[in-house]
Amino acid sequence: MRAQKRRNGIAYTVIVFFFAVGTLFFTMWDVMASSQGENGTVWGELKKWHRITITFNGPETSESANPNPFLNYRLNVTFSKGDREITVPGYYAADGYAADSSADQGNVWRVHFCPNEEGIWKYRASFRTGERIATSLDPLAGVSTAFDGARGSFAVDPSDKEGRDFRAKGLLRFIGSRYLQFSETKDFYLKGGADSPENLLAYVDFDQTEFGGRNQDKKEGEADHNQSLHRYEPHAKDWKRG
């Protein structure tokens, strides 16, 4: 009987010990995850000339809220390497998946960056709010809010792309001549086509886009404004397998 009680006591002690350790582990994990969230989440292929995205958890709001997230909040993220600094404006991204979810509310704020050098890049976020602050060039306009001051770093490796994937060639630049030039390889980009795009932004799958064209604005060779928002289905008949 005493041996059984002793075994039960030991088992109970072991269970309590592991429960305490587990609680401590998950508490530490939660703190670490919270810290990471406060400083943004970096994702994407961390390579030269590739798009890198940093997502911040900010104030819960919506596209039609007051204060308006596009006008009365301002997100600027400064990326630095050595003595070089590049400041990139960020934006309100609803739930972070609005292109697929059509969400118009959430707490996700996002910035994209295309590094032009390999090595360690640092970033720091300026997130401020105020009346029409998005149109102000004053870095101290408005007041600091939410994740303002968040910072971090990431390592950038060489691009591994080739063939039809142009990312290893660098960004296209206008150098004052007839053709655009790739920043990395200095190759010229020879563009073909009519160079007269259709009304791209009046696309049916862009949320809250409404038809408002007037036929008198129609130019020769353009589609009739009064037909509808742009759809790609009419072009399907021109597609051939292979």
Side-chain angles (χ1 to χ4, degrees):
M1 180 68 70
R2 290 181 178 176
Q4 181 64 36
K5 288 182 178 180
R6 189 180 299 112
R7 285 195 294 271
N8 290 344
I10 293 173
Y12 177 79
T13 302
V14 170
I15 291 172
V16 170
F17 172 79
F18 280 107
F19 178 81
V21 170
T23 301
L24 178 61
F25 172 81
F26 284 109
T27 300
M28 292 177 63
W29 176 267
D30 185 63
V31 170
M32 291 170 64
S34 175
S35 268
Q36 182 182 13
E38 290 174 358
N39 288 297
T41 301
V42 180
W43 57 278
E45 291 187 87
L46 304 183
K47 301 179 186 296
K48 184 179 180 181
W49 300 120
H50 291 218
R51 185 179 71 175
I52 295 172
T53 300
I54 303 180
T55 298
F56 302 94
N57 292 329
E60 180 78 28
T61 183
S62 72
E63 294 177 357
S64 56
N66 186 19
N68 184 274
F70 303 110
L71 185 61
N72 296 324
Y73 286 94
R74 185 184 66 195
L75 170 60
N76 285 332
V77 180
T78 299
F79 296 87
S80 61
K81 184 178 182 294
D83 58 356
R84 295 195 59 205
E85 287 192 348
I86 302 173
T87 299
V88 182
Y91 62 96
Y92 173 60
D95 67 347
Y97 305 96
D100 298 314
S101 68
S102 294
D104 60 5
Q105 61 185 7
N107 70 333
V108 176
W109 303 76
R110 185 166 284 165
V111 67
H112 302 293
F113 177 58
C114 182
N116 58 1
E117 288 185 15
E118 301 163 21
I120 303 297
W121 284 85
K122 299 178 181 179
Y123 68 87
R124 66 180 184 276
S126 169
F127 189 57
R128 305 179 71 82
T129 184
E131 186 69 23
R132 304 182 67 85
I133 191 173
T135 63
S136 173
L137 298 179
D138 180 2
L140 298 180
V143 295
S144 169
T145 188
F147 56 86
D148 182 53
R151 61 184 61 223
S153 63
F154 51 88
V156 173
D157 295 324
S159 176
D160 58 353
K161 305 307 178 185
E162 57 184 18
R164 294 183 178 180
D165 193 323
F166 284 170
R167 278 177 288 181
K169 295 177 178 289
L171 296 180
L172 285 171
R173 303 287 190 191
F174 175 67
I175 60 171
S177 65
R178 181 173 181 179
Y179 300 108
L180 299 176
Q181 187 180 59
F182 287 106
S183 302
E184 181 73 15
T185 63
K186 306 307 179 186
D187 294 336
F188 287 99
Y189 177 63
L190 306 182
K191 180 183 179 299
D195 204 24
S196 179
E198 299 182 52
N199 56 342
L200 173 65
L201 297 180
Y203 176 49
V204 69
D205 280 350
F206 288 152
D207 294 340
Q208 299 182 20
T209 301
E210 299 179 1
F211 172 70
R214 294 175 298 173
N215 203 46
Q216 57 264 35
D217 294 332
K218 179 178 178 293
K219 297 178 182 179
E220 185 178 356
E222 290 184 339
D224 188 343
H225 295 343
N226 290 328
Q227 289 180 352
S228 66
L229 295 177
H230 183 66
R231 299 175 181 269
Y232 287 104
E233 287 86 345
H235 302 290
K237 63 182 180 181
D238 299 322
W239 178 80
K240 295 180 180 179
R241 185 177 301 278

